[in-house]
Amino acid sequence: MGVKQISKSLKASGNALDSTFYQLKVLSQKDVQDGAYESFYKKIKAVGVDSITVSDLEIFQINIGKLCNQTCSHCHVDAGPDRKEENMSFETLERCLYLIKTYKFKKVDITGGAPEMNAHFKWFVEECTKAGVEVMVRCNLTIIMANKRYHDLPDFFKVNKVHVVSSLPSFSAMRTDAQRGDGVFEDSIAALQKLNAVGYGVEGSGLIIDLVYNPSGAYLPGDQKSMEAEFKRQLKRKFDIVFNNLFAITNLPVSRFLDYLLETNKYLDYMHELVNAFNPSTLDGLMCKNTISISWEGFMYDCDFNQQLDLKFVGKAKHIDDFDFEEILNREIIVNNHCYGCTAGAGSSCGGEIA
């Protein structure tokens, strides 16, 4: 039916939070009572961790553009239909491919925006597949239904054995559309049925489709295992849809979700909830310890959230043109108060709970 946008990007609306400098000012408590909550750096120091360091370089996460067919209310990338210019060039993708093959990364995690809207997306996936690298694509599902030129994506994913990861906030149309736009649920269900039809989520097919849940409000996600069981039951019963895993992800106070928290006067309450739920046992499993995140311009970050806050790598190597494996492997991770989102409760990563 097509997606009706529920909001504009921060950039399009001229919101002050389009500035990463301003977001960091808020996160650093410059605009609130000093010391309203303990800084993340002090928090980890209190449990005997002087810094977060890299354990290995296994996952090459690449944001190939902010262009998207949706403008979701929680999007930490501030993606949308208006972000047409911020797409990775063919030359930058070629450089990424060279690094992936040269340094033998185990997995390529392709995200956006809607990464499929990058003109070179299919070429890049095919080249990674030829190189024997596992490819994961973060597909918003509705892109499959958005235009005829994307209708072949399920078959394309199947041929290249792509691991598909897709956001679905609820098995309820009302809750999903409230977060992601009118018509998103209907198109998401249709896309999931198309993916099931080519074997995704079907036992024994080897084709993996995982769903991602994140809360619609200022609270932590529930138990991942219980939610997965309920999602599987409801989607099978209502739509005969199957999938492999459900990942529960905490909303980090970044970009549009930060805007929501400030607009609803829930910022401090949410931050206190994250701080109070801090779990030291999550620190060893943080995604930044084995992942590097590449922006559409080719700059390097510890994670996708640091990327959206423009917190580039520590050290001289900040762009893929200056890639230095040893320096990157031995770097210290940049932390700020948004990191509480990854360490609250059972923890949160691109793969869901971590503790």
Side-chain angles (χ1 to χ4, degrees):
M1 67 175 284
V3 175
K4 181 180 179 182
Q5 307 302 329
I6 58 175
S7 62
K8 292 183 178 180
S9 69
L10 298 177
K11 184 175 183 179
S13 61
N15 192 305
L17 288 172
D18 178 46
S19 164
T20 56
F21 177 80
Y22 184 64
Q23 289 190 55
L24 288 168
K25 184 179 179 183
V26 174
L27 286 166
S28 299
Q29 306 187 75
K30 301 298 184 184
D31 284 350
V32 298
Q33 182 181 351
D34 187 41
Y37 53 86
E38 187 175 20
S39 74
F40 184 78
Y41 178 73
K42 288 183 178 178
K43 194 72 161 180
I44 61 173
K45 290 274 285 186
V47 296
V49 178
D50 290 329
S51 62
I52 308 297
T53 55
V54 178
S55 58
D56 202 355
L57 294 181
E58 298 178 322
I59 302 174
F60 195 95
Q61 186 179 69
I62 174 172
N63 187 314
I64 64 175
K66 296 191 177 186
L67 181 62
C68 190
N69 64 309
Q70 295 179 181
T71 315
C72 300
S73 62
H74 66 281
C75 181
H76 70 280
V77 180
D78 195 32
D82 61 291
R83 310 303 292 265
K84 294 181 173 64
E85 304 302 319
E86 295 142 304
N87 269 294
M88 188 173 281
S89 68
F90 182 73
E91 292 73 22
T92 303
L93 280 165
E94 278 191 314
R95 175 64 176 166
C96 288
L97 182 64
Y98 167 79
L99 295 174
I100 290 163
K101 294 195 291 188
T102 301
Y103 296 102
K104 296 180 172 54
F105 281 86
K106 295 179 181 179
K107 182 185 294 185
V108 177
D109 182 349
I110 308 174
T111 184
E116 301 89 347
M117 296 182 78
N118 185 296
H120 315 295
F121 168 77
K122 287 187 175 179
W123 170 84
F124 185 68
V125 170
E126 289 170 340
E127 291 301 312
C128 288
T129 301
K130 289 177 189 175
V133 182
E134 179 186 349
V135 177
M136 175 187 289
V137 172
R138 298 188 181 270
C139 174
N140 70 15
L141 293 176
T142 64
I143 190 65
I144 294 171
M145 311 303 297
N147 187 290
K148 286 183 180 179
R149 67 178 178 272
Y150 303 121
H151 288 181
D152 68 338
L153 281 171
D155 289 311
F156 175 77
F157 290 153
K158 177 181 179 179
V159 168
N160 289 279
K161 294 183 172 59
V162 170
H163 177 176
V164 179
V165 180
S166 298
S167 177
L168 189 69
S170 176
F171 42 78
S172 156
M174 181 177 68
R175 290 182 180 179
T176 298
D177 288 0
Q179 185 183 110
R180 309 189 72 198
D182 292 345
V184 166
F185 186 77
E186 183 178 330
D187 282 1
S188 296
I189 293 300
L192 282 169
Q193 289 170 334
K194 287 181 176 293
L195 287 162
N196 278 176
V198 300
Y200 273 92
V202 178
E203 188 174 354
S205 69
L207 300 172
I208 307 300
I209 168 76
D210 294 326
L211 299 183
V212 174
Y213 163 86
N214 63 293
S216 57
Y219 49 88
L220 297 177
D223 176 69
Q224 181 172 284
K225 187 175 181 180
S226 298
M227 284 194 294
E228 177 180 289
E230 186 63 8
F231 264 72
K232 285 186 173 181
R233 187 179 74 84
Q234 294 282 3
L235 290 177
K236 178 66 176 175
R237 180 179 68 86
K238 293 179 179 179
F239 308 105
D240 197 29
I241 285 172
V242 294
F243 66 94
N244 296 96
N245 306 289
L246 179 79
F247 299 148
I249 294 181
T250 301
N251 287 317
L252 268 68
V254 171
S255 194
R256 284 188 210 147
F257 190 68
L258 177 57
D259 182 48
Y260 160 78
L261 293 173
L262 294 172
E263 284 293 311
T264 57
N265 200 30
K266 294 178 179 177
Y267 174 71
L268 283 179
D269 287 343
Y270 188 65
M271 290 306 300
H272 282 299
E273 183 171 3
L274 295 181
V275 173
N276 291 336
F278 173 73
N279 181 356
S281 66
T282 62
L283 294 174
D284 286 339
L286 293 174
M287 58 186 169
C288 53
K289 293 179 71 68
N290 71 344
T291 300
I292 62 171
S293 177
I294 313 299
S295 74
W296 67 273
E297 300 164 291
F299 289 104
M300 300 187 292
Y301 302 85
D302 299 309
C303 70
D304 193 36
F305 299 105
N306 276 12
Q307 181 183 147
Q308 306 318 317
L309 291 168
D310 200 28
L311 296 171
K312 297 183 181 70
F313 273 178
V314 170
K316 295 179 181 179
K318 297 183 186 300
H319 192 275
I320 55 173
D321 289 342
D322 306 310
F323 194 92
D324 183 323
F325 186 85
E326 289 302 317
E327 180 182 278
I328 293 169
L329 181 63
N330 292 290
R331 76 188 189 280
E332 183 177 312
I333 306 298
I334 296 176
V335 299
N336 204 300
N337 292 329
H338 65 291
C339 298
Y340 275 119
C342 292
T343 57
S348 181
S349 74
C350 289
E353 294 182 353
I354 54 180

